[in-house]
Amino acid sequence: MAVLDLPRQAAPHPVSWRRLRPVLAGLRDFAIALALPAVILILWAIGSAYQLVPQQILPPPVYVWENFRDMLASGELLQHASISAARVAGGFVLGASLGLLLGIAMGLSEKVDDYVRPLFTAIAQVPTLGWIPLLMLFLGIGEALKIVIIAKAALVPMVLNTSAGIRGVSKAYLEVADVFAFTRWQKLRRLILPAAVPPIFTGIRYSLTKAWTALVAVELLASAEGLGYLLVWGRQMFWLDTMIVAMVIIGLVGFAMDKLLALVEARLQSWRIDA
């Protein structure tokens, strides 16, 4: 008697814990990162509910949330945030570009480093806020002042990390380049810059952080628009919920920019991990 071959259902594949491990690790890190903000928010809500702190000093979280929704719906918050983003983008691109070029020159040439580093070190020691009164005399309080202050803040870490990264390139790599008779441009493009990617990207991240903080500082002192101005306006009018909204947005935007650059850095350096 013939036996009919019935189609067999494929057995379900077992869950691969090796694939789930990075996901679980990411969820764990995310939960750990949210733990402290959640505790602060809970304590804030409890303190407001029991009136441990007067509402005039620390408004309840619900007031801040409602103010955030109103500012978002009216477009006021996006307007200030877009103005600040445009300023920091212009200043950061200018400062980081000049810093990259100057750092490369200082890293490749000892003479350039000897001539430039003393003056550069002296300028770098002066805090960003210390330059504002002097630059106001030449640039006024317009957009040029803000761009220059932000560029100065981004310039310093970019120069230091770029020059250190180029000087840290292994001499063995340079000897191999000499064996292959690389030109100076080929050494720079195919050897030195790729080898110096980690410190250069560290400089980019620090530069962006410094540019963002410098933006807030200059908007606090000399601006009628932007997130920094929103902080001052909230303080002057004693609208503490507006101040808190501006502070939270400033912190979140800065955190997001740093994480985005970290992802780009990891992407560009994936060849190092695979090797």
Side-chain angles (χ1 to χ4, degrees), residues 158-221:
M158 195 68 202
V159 171
L160 295 178
N161 283 274
T162 301
S163 61
I166 290 178
R167 289 186 177 276
V169 175
S170 175
K171 293 183 178 179
Y173 293 165
L174 300 177
E175 292 174 357
V176 172
D178 292 335
V179 170
F180 285 97
F182 281 3
T183 64
R184 287 187 176 182
W185 170 245
Q186 288 176 325
K187 285 183 181 180
L188 179 63
R189 182 175 62 88
R190 301 176 60 180
L191 176 66
I192 296 176
L193 288 181
V197 163
I200 288 177
F201 248 91
T202 300
I204 292 175
R205 293 177 65 180
Y206 279 132
S207 295
L208 187 57
T209 301
K210 292 293 185 180
W212 187 245
T213 55
L215 164 79
V216 176
V218 75
E219 285 184 344
L220 283 170
L221 298 177

Side-chain angles (χ1 to χ4, degrees), residues 201 205 256-267:
F201 248 91
R205 293 177 65 180
M257 290 190 301
D258 182 72
K259 286 300 181 182
L260 179 60
L261 284 180
L263 292 175
V264 174
E265 180 182 5
R267 184 79 174 179

Side-chain angles (χ1 to χ4, degrees), residues 109-123:
S109 174
E110 293 185 359
K111 288 186 177 180
V112 173
D113 187 79
D114 292 338
Y115 281 114
V116 174
R117 187 170 290 275
L119 178 60
F120 175 79
T121 303
I123 293 175

Side-chain angles (χ1 to χ4, degrees), residues 130-166:
W131 289 95
I132 293 179
L134 177 62
L135 292 176
M136 277 184 177
L137 299 176
F138 299 97
L139 302 175
I141 60 173
E143 292 300 311
L145 172 69
K146 301 171 184 60
I147 297 299
V148 170
I149 290 295
I150 296 169
K152 184 268 176 188
L155 175 74
V156 175
M158 195 68 202
V159 171
L160 295 178
N161 283 274
T162 301
S163 61
I166 290 178

